[in-house]
Amino acid sequence: MINDKSAGPSRRSILTWGGTTALAAGTVLAAGAGPAAAQAPAAAAETDPSAAQTATPAASSPALRLPCPVVDVSAQSQPWRVEKTLEDATVLQSFAFDNVNRHVYLVQVTQGGRTLSGESGPVSGAARAANGDLTITKWDYEGTSLGRMHLRGCGHGVGIGVEPSGGDAYLWTEAAVPPVPDPAVWTDNPAAAAPGFGTRITRFKFENGKVLDSASLVTYEPAGPSTYNGVAVDPVHGRLLHRYVQDGTVRYRLHDLDQARKGVFSEPVAEIAEPQIQVDASRYGRPTFQGFTVAGRYLYLLHGDHYGTTQLIGGKEVVVSSKDNGGNTFITSVDLTTGQIVKTARSMAFGGDGVDYREPEGLAIQIPEQTRLGVFRLVFGFAYGAEGARKVALYTKDELL
């Protein structure tokens, strides 16, 4: 989820790998299974079967027997929207769907050189990233821009939740970025409140052309003091998922959306630590965390790096993501009732000729038909294109188990 070169110092250490021990979950929710989604015509093979891992099922319990479909993360992917340009030149960070009004909201770190309302002049990209300034673009389902708004001091765009309200939408994001007088003197300390990342969460109405400051918003601290906050909304079951870092561990809490709207977070539906995905580190290194979402009792995670990324493996700098090795993009499903991984699979979607820069960015749940809430798809994104003119490609996985 690192922005272009203007983003400042790397924060990947705490964002890449979660804790290795899952905590006991809270009460699990019931979810309608619904019929399996119809698969679109097959595209060229893109999933690497050798890189898929399925966990051994946990011991049976009444909670685990509740009906709830899970997206097969190793199934074939289908293109949804490709070759679309966002409002700013920076990479996509996350996105989410308004499934009722058929809109998409996409988040970027605000590009350098813009002057927003109340500013005396252009602000650099490094300052935008360190301050946590975000641009939110609203699309229709054809990828046509319907407007944008800006947030100052809200975060890095790690996750976004959409809550439809009539013809409007309320958005959930991170907020309350710690002030950084001089980003150049900040050091990459995972235990510290990093510049550019929210320490709380917030909810606000999308209004085209509006510029909002974090200090003017009502914010929440659902889990107590934490860093690297992010949110996602389950549009199928009406839940709010909160991702955060506390005591050096990445954690998730699932809340009832009606209660969260009232500012009540005292009784989470489920709570787990983020499990560490298992991949062939000699080939793919440690893929960077790039997104998350939720549907029913299942959490979905996206990891990966842009082409050309190198990591130190066995004392040598090794390219862990390239066109030659198909990239190191992995999608994982996690059972929120146990905290255990269901399956991890590598995706080679959108890696063909002419794609020289490819970085996975963002996960979301789309419901194609509101009359069939039990049929949904997992959508994941890629940033691509030349630096300073990044584009977006969105792909789907439709197969439910």
Side-chain angles (χ1 to χ4, degrees):
M1 299 284 292
I2 301 302
N3 193 29
D4 290 334
K5 295 181 179 179
S6 61
S10 169
R11 294 101 174 176
R12 293 190 176 191
S13 55
I14 196 69
L15 292 174
T16 303
W17 296 88
T20 57
T21 303
L23 302 181
T27 305
V28 68
L29 60 154
Q39 183 110 16
E46 56 87 12
T47 300
D48 179 4
S50 67
Q53 297 184 352
T54 303
T56 301
S60 178
S61 72
L64 292 177
R65 289 196 296 269
L66 289 173
C68 183
V70 59
V71 177
D72 184 356
V73 297
S74 64
Q76 185 71 37
S77 299
Q78 308 295 336
W80 190 72
R81 291 291 174 265
V82 183
E83 296 184 359
K84 295 295 181 180
T85 302
L86 291 173
E87 294 292 329
D88 282 6
T90 51
V91 298
L92 171 71
Q93 296 294 337
S94 62
F95 61 95
F97 291 90
D98 176 344
N99 292 288
V100 174
N101 297 300
R102 300 175 64 82
H103 296 145
V104 192
Y105 292 86
L106 307 101
V107 185
Q108 305 166 265
V109 173
T110 303
Q111 72 179 42
R114 287 200 183 279
T115 302
L116 302 181
S117 174
E119 297 172 351
S120 59
V123 177
S124 71
R128 291 290 189 199
N131 292 335
D133 297 346
L134 298 173
T135 299
I136 300 178
T137 303
K138 177 182 178 180
W139 277 1
D140 64 17
Y141 273 17
E142 299 303 316
T144 302
S145 177
L146 302 177
R148 70 178 179 189
M149 67 183 301
H150 291 94
L151 309 178
R152 281 192 293 234
C154 278
H156 193 72
V158 175
I160 181 175
V162 178
E163 185 184 340
S165 178
D168 298 320
Y170 285 82
L171 308 182
W172 290 83
T173 68
E174 61 194 292
V177 170
V180 183
D182 184 2
V185 302
W186 179 77
T187 58
D188 193 357
N189 176 10
F197 291 84
T199 59
R200 300 172 73 92
I201 66 173
T202 189
R203 175 182 180 270
F204 55 90
K205 183 179 180 180
F206 179 87
E207 297 180 77
N208 184 29
K210 192 88 169 182
V211 178
L212 296 179
D213 289 284
S214 180
S216 69
L217 298 171
V218 176
T219 61
Y220 307 100
E221 200 174 46
S226 61
T227 57
Y228 297 101
N229 284 250
V231 287
V233 166
D234 177 351
V236 182
H237 307 95
R239 309 285 177 172
L240 179 75
L241 185 64
H242 176 210
R243 183 183 193 266
Y244 59 98
V245 174
Q246 202 170 63
D247 299 326
T249 300
V250 183
R251 303 172 66 89
Y252 294 87
R253 281 188 178 184
L254 188 66
H255 298 273
D256 180 85
L257 186 56
D258 289 337
Q259 293 297 307
R261 192 184 304 115
K262 300 172 185 176
V264 177
F265 299 94
S266 56
E267 297 182 1
V269 176
E271 180 179 1
I272 65 167
E274 182 176 280
Q276 180 171 308
I277 67 170
Q278 302 297 317
V279 305
D280 184 352
S282 65
R283 296 178 63 189
Y284 307 117
R286 290 191 167 186
T288 299
F289 171 80
Q290 299 284 13
F292 70 104
T293 193
V294 61
R297 60 188 265 190
Y298 296 102
L299 162 71
Y300 299 93
L301 305 174
L302 179 68
H303 290 79
D305 298 282
H306 62 77
Y307 287 161
T309 295
T310 63
Q311 293 180 11
L312 191 64
I313 300 176
K316 298 180 180 179
E317 282 290 331
V318 176
V319 177
V320 296
S321 177
S322 68
K323 294 181 69 172
D324 291 339
N325 74 0
N328 67 347
T329 295
F330 288 86
I331 304 176
T332 299
S333 52
V334 180
D335 192 329
L336 283 166
T337 71
T338 64
Q340 300 299 310
I341 289 174
V342 177
K343 183 182 289 186
T344 295
R346 187 167 72 106
S347 173
M348 293 180 285
F350 194 65
D353 294 339
V355 180
D356 296 321
Y357 177 94
R358 169 188 180 267
E359 182 174 13
E361 299 282 4
L363 277 176
I365 297 296
Q366 185 194 19
I367 305 172
E369 300 177 29
Q370 283 295 297
T371 57
R372 304 173 71 203
L373 294 181
V375 180
F376 54 87
R377 57 171 56 131
L378 182 66
V379 186
F380 58 108
F382 292 100
Y384 74 102
E387 183 177 351
R390 301 300 193 201
K391 295 182 179 181
V392 173
L394 300 180
Y395 274 71
T396 72
K397 288 186 179 291
D398 298 343
E399 189 169 327
L400 299 178
L401 302 176

